[in-house]
Amino acid sequence: MENIRQPKDIAQVLLSVLFLAIMIVACLWIVQPFILGFAWAGTVVIATWPVLLLLQKLLWGRRSLAVLVMTLLLVLLFVIPIALLVNSIVDGSGPLIHAMSAGDMTLPELAWLNSIPLIGSKLYAAWHNLLDMGGTAIMAKIRPYIGTTTTWFVGQAAHIGRFMVHCALMLLFSALLFWRGEQVALGVRHFASRLAAKRGDAAVVLAAQAIRAVALGVVVTALVQAVLGGVGLAISGVPYATLLSVLMILSCLVQLGPLPVLIPSIIWLYWTGDNTWGTVLLVWSCVVGTLDNVIRPMLIRMGADLPLILILSGVIGGLIAFGMIGLFIGPVLLAVSWRLFSAWVNEAPLPDDTSDSVLEALAEPTEPRK
C-alpha cells in the first residue's frame, strides 16, 4: 500500500515558530535585569567550587555552613572593598564639591613648581603671569563647564549604583548556586546533551575549564597583587591608599600590572623627602611587580591554557560593553568561545599536503561522469 505524504501546514509551522520566538523574547525581557548578576555568580561559583568542597569537608560535611562561610568570604572580597572605595571618593571630593557650590574657587599657587630641576622656576613664573593677567577671567570661563562635569559625575554614580545592585545579585545567586550546585550543573549538562549529544556535554566541561582558568589566572592574580601593593602603600604612608589599590586592581586586570600606580607613589615619597619609606616601597614594588610571572602561569595551567591577548581583549572589551562587571565577564565569554572553537577545529586533522600540491589537485581536470 502506497503511503501518501500529507502536505505540511505552512501557516501552522510559521505560527508555532513565531509563538516560540515571542515566548523566548518575553522570558529574556523579564530576566534581563538579572542576567549579568547571574553570569557573574556562575563565574564565581565555578571558580571557587573546589574551595566550597574543601570547606564542607572541614565543617563536618555540612553544606549550609560551607555556603555561609563562602558567602561571607565573597562579602569580604567584593562588598567591603567597594564600600571603602566609595567612602574614600566621597570624603576626598567633599571639599571640592563645597568649593564649587560656594563659587569661591581660587586657582592654586603651585609653589611646588619651584622644586622641579631646571625648568621649575620658569614654570612657576609663567603660571603666576597667567594668574596676574586674568585668573578671575579663567575661572569665569571654567565655571560653565562645572555643571557638565557635575552631570558626568552623577552619571558615573549611577553606574556605581548599578554595579552595587549587580554585586548584591551576585551574592544572592552565588549562595543559591553553592547550595544546589550539583543539580544546576547536571541540568546544564542535560540541556547541552539534548542540543548536541556528547559534543554538547563536552562543550560544557570545556567552558567550565575556561572560566576557572580566567578566574584563577587573571582575577586572583590581580587581587593578590593589588592587595599586596595596597598594603605597601598604606604602610609607607601614601595618601588615598584605598583608591590607589582599586586602581591597581584595574591596572592588573588589563595586564599592565601594579607598577603604573606604585612607581608614581615611590617618586612622591622621594620627592617629599621620605627616603626611608620610599626605599621600602621600592623594594616591595619589585616583589609585587614580578609576582604575576610566578602566580599567573601556575594558576592558568590549573584551568586551561589561554592566549594572553584573548584575556586582554576580553577585559578591555568587557569593560566597554558591560561596565565594571565586564572586567570579569568579558574575558570569560571570550575564553569560553575560544575553547569551544578550538575544540571544534581540532576535530579535523591537520592538512598533510603542501599548498602547491593542493593547488595542483584543484587544477587537475576531473573526468566527466558517465
Side-chain angles (χ1 to χ4, degrees), residues 25 43 57 71 86 92 94 98-99 119 147 154 167 176 201 264 325 364:
V25 171
T43 301
K57 184 178 179 180
T71 305
V86 173
H98 176 72
I119 62 172
V154 170
C167 189
L176 295 176
D201 193 10
I325 300 179
E364 291 179 358

Side-chain angles (χ1 to χ4, degrees), residues 95-105 143:
L96 180 60
I97 295 175
H98 176 72
M100 285 183 177
S101 59
D104 56 354
M105 289 185 64
R143 280 197 184 97

Side-chain angles (χ1 to χ4, degrees), residues 11-98:
Q12 180 185 7
V13 174
L14 290 177
L15 290 176
S16 300
V17 173
L18 179 62
F19 176 76
L20 290 176
I22 292 175
M23 291 295 295
I24 293 173
V25 171
C27 291
L28 291 177
W29 194 4
I30 293 173
V31 302
Q32 185 268 337
F34 310 102
I35 291 177
L36 290 179
F38 186 81
W40 192 7
T43 301
V44 171
V45 170
I46 291 174
T48 58
W49 187 257
V51 180
L52 174 73
L53 297 180
L54 178 61
L55 286 175
Q56 181 177 348
K57 184 178 179 180
L58 295 176
L59 295 174
W60 309 283
R62 300 286 297 275
R63 173 60 63 88
S64 57
L65 294 178
V67 171
L68 179 61
V69 172
M70 289 298 299
T71 305
L72 293 177
L73 289 176
L74 292 180
V75 170
L76 292 176
L77 287 175
F78 292 99
V79 177
I80 293 180
I82 294 172
L84 292 175
L85 171 62
V86 173
N87 184 62
S88 176
I89 294 175
V90 171
D91 291 343
S93 60
L96 180 60
I97 295 175
H98 176 72

